Amino acid sequence: MSSTPLALFVGLPNPVLSDDGFALFRETNPLGLFVGRRNQREPAQTKRLIERFREAVGRDDAPVFTDQEGGRVQHLDAGPWPLFRSFGQFAELARRDFELGKRALRLSSQAMGAMMTELGLSSGCSPVLDLVFETTSAVIGARSFGPDPDVIAALGREVVDGLLETGNMPVMKHIPGHGRATLDSHKERPVVDASRETLIATDFKPFVALKDTPWAMVAHVVYSAYDGELPASVSPIMHDVIRNDLGYDGMLISDCIFMESLSGTLPERVSQVLDAGFDIALHSHGDVRETEAAARAARPLTDAALKRIAAGKARLGNLKVDVRAAHRQVEDMFASASVS
């Protein structure tokens, strides 16, 4: 096993790590694991799965991510875990009372972050900073804070800071913006034809405002004003736009390479992401055979990526939160503003 992890996140088909999977991860040393709803049944099982992955790669701090935004995208939605509200609902509260909305979102983010940190989960891949319009694909919907980039930036800040305070890594997505896409990048290749001037003034703006966020997930969306062929996640041009025009110097991980916006075999998709200059390819599905093929196509993390990872870790706090009490307090805030 190489001492430097591969620039790859892997996934699992089941709630347990098989012996074959354990052996593969021990041999290949992927940086991290992505666990979905299918992998998480209850706290003890989730903790054991995470521990077993970290045992396989020989790193107690190996990152383990999930999708935990709130609303319809929360993979901790079984067993004893509380259910959290969507960002769209927090935006509605903020429209009634902006300061109350921010306080409620900060507290909810702290509760969610503390819950994940206690389980051993490193991140819930949140917040979503995409704008939403009448034409936006339903894949975004209530995951967004709305159409106003300044409001998105202000509310997104509460999520980023709340998560960091509890030792959970924020990952802003989907940089540089999925909101103008009218197609679902899980199923098709969206093309955004807005001008550079429009994108800079709108979609890019929340990501620039929160460019100190340690991690960001890159969209599988074509921005024709910059690159008329390739989705951002596999485009060297868009890599340079994110790094230079948006000024983002944190970790850049692709959205899941299984999504149909990309083309080619899974190993080819891993290579495309890394060849474009991004730090990590996300391979969040797959069986042992597919994961092995993806791992063979990956390469060790760069020195720059290792430094970015260390810089992000240095910002994690250790705030302790009574998750259920905080969750109840958030619900009381919604009730006080008569928001259902």
Side-chain angles (χ1 to χ4, degrees):
M1 179 172 67
S2 170
S3 59
T4 301
L6 292 179
L8 182 70
F9 264 64
V10 294
L12 297 170
N14 302 307
V16 295
L17 177 54
S18 68
D19 290 342
D20 287 345
F22 186 95
L24 175 62
F25 296 158
R26 170 153 289 184
E27 176 192 355
T28 58
N29 192 19
L31 173 65
L33 175 68
F34 190 95
V35 290
R37 187 175 286 109
R38 66 188 175 279
N39 305 122
Q40 301 177 93
R41 297 288 186 263
E42 49 86 22
Q45 172 268 321
T46 296
K47 288 180 181 179
R48 176 57 186 147
L49 177 61
I50 293 169
E51 290 168 356
R52 188 158 160 78
F53 171 74
R54 289 173 172 157
E55 180 186 353
V57 297
R59 287 176 283 117
D60 291 340
D61 62 348
V64 180
F65 287 7
T66 191
D67 267 331
Q68 184 67 18
E69 303 164 9
R72 64 182 172 83
V73 181
Q74 49 186 324
H75 288 178
L76 297 169
D77 64 353
W81 294 305
L83 295 178
F84 292 84
R85 288 179 178 264
S86 70
F87 291 146
Q89 289 176 299
F90 282 100
E92 174 60 26
L93 179 60
R95 282 191 286 272
R96 303 279 185 94
D97 184 329
F98 199 71
E99 291 305 315
L100 180 65
K102 289 201 299 182
R103 289 199 304 273
L105 184 56
R106 182 66 156 264
L107 185 58
S108 182
S109 299
Q110 289 171 341
M112 194 181 296
M115 181 180 75
M116 288 188 284
T117 297
E118 196 277 330
L119 288 168
L121 289 164
S122 312
S123 176
C125 294
S126 182
V128 174
L129 301 185
D130 304 317
L131 281 65
V132 68
F133 307 97
E134 288 185 3
T135 56
T136 298
S137 167
V139 73
I140 300 299
R143 299 169 67 191
S144 169
F145 289 115
D148 186 323
D150 293 322
V151 170
I152 292 172
L155 295 179
R157 171 61 65 190
E158 299 302 324
V159 180
V160 168
D161 289 351
L163 292 172
L164 284 172
E165 287 163 351
T166 57
N168 206 257
M169 188 64 72
V171 179
M172 59 179 183
K173 58 189 186 187
H174 305 80
I175 199 170
H178 203 297
R180 291 186 188 275
T182 59
L183 302 177
D184 181 353
S185 55
H186 290 82
K187 302 173 182 177
E188 302 174 85
R189 177 173 291 186
V191 177
V192 169
D193 288 325
S195 68
R196 296 188 182 195
E197 293 76 16
T198 296
L199 291 170
I200 290 167
T202 56
D203 297 63
F204 293 0
K205 199 171 180 181
F207 297 99
V208 173
L210 296 181
K211 65 183 180 181
D212 62 325
T213 305
W215 285 62
M217 181 175 288
V218 188
H220 294 321
V221 174
V222 174
Y223 303 89
S224 63
Y226 294 92
D227 186 332
E229 296 182 8
L230 296 175
S233 54
V234 294
S235 167
I237 295 171
M238 291 310 299
H239 169 269
D240 292 346
V241 169
I242 292 168
R243 290 293 190 208
N244 300 324
D245 296 4
L246 276 66
Y248 184 69
D249 192 38
M251 286 295 292
L252 286 169
I253 183 171
S254 74
D255 209 337
C256 179
I257 62 170
F258 273 75
M259 292 164 63
E260 292 307 313
S261 178
L262 302 187
S263 60
T265 66
L266 292 175
E268 288 170 344
R269 296 179 187 195
V270 171
S271 295
Q272 289 165 19
V273 168
L274 301 181
D275 287 346
F278 295 104
D279 295 307
I280 300 170
L282 171 59
H283 176 277
S284 64
H285 296 71
D287 56 22
V288 170
R289 178 186 57 80
E290 291 171 324
T291 300
E292 181 175 10
R296 302 301 178 203
R299 62 202 71 161
L301 286 164
T302 65
D303 289 342
L306 291 169
K307 290 177 182 177
R308 291 182 183 115
I309 291 171
K313 285 182 182 177
R315 294 183 58 195
L316 296 175
N318 59 2
L319 178 68
K320 305 303 179 187
V321 176
D322 183 325
V323 173
R324 292 197 172 279
H327 186 264
R328 286 194 298 270
Q329 189 175 347
V330 170
E331 290 303 306
D332 288 343
M333 292 177 178
F334 274 86
S336 72
S338 300
V339 177
S340 59

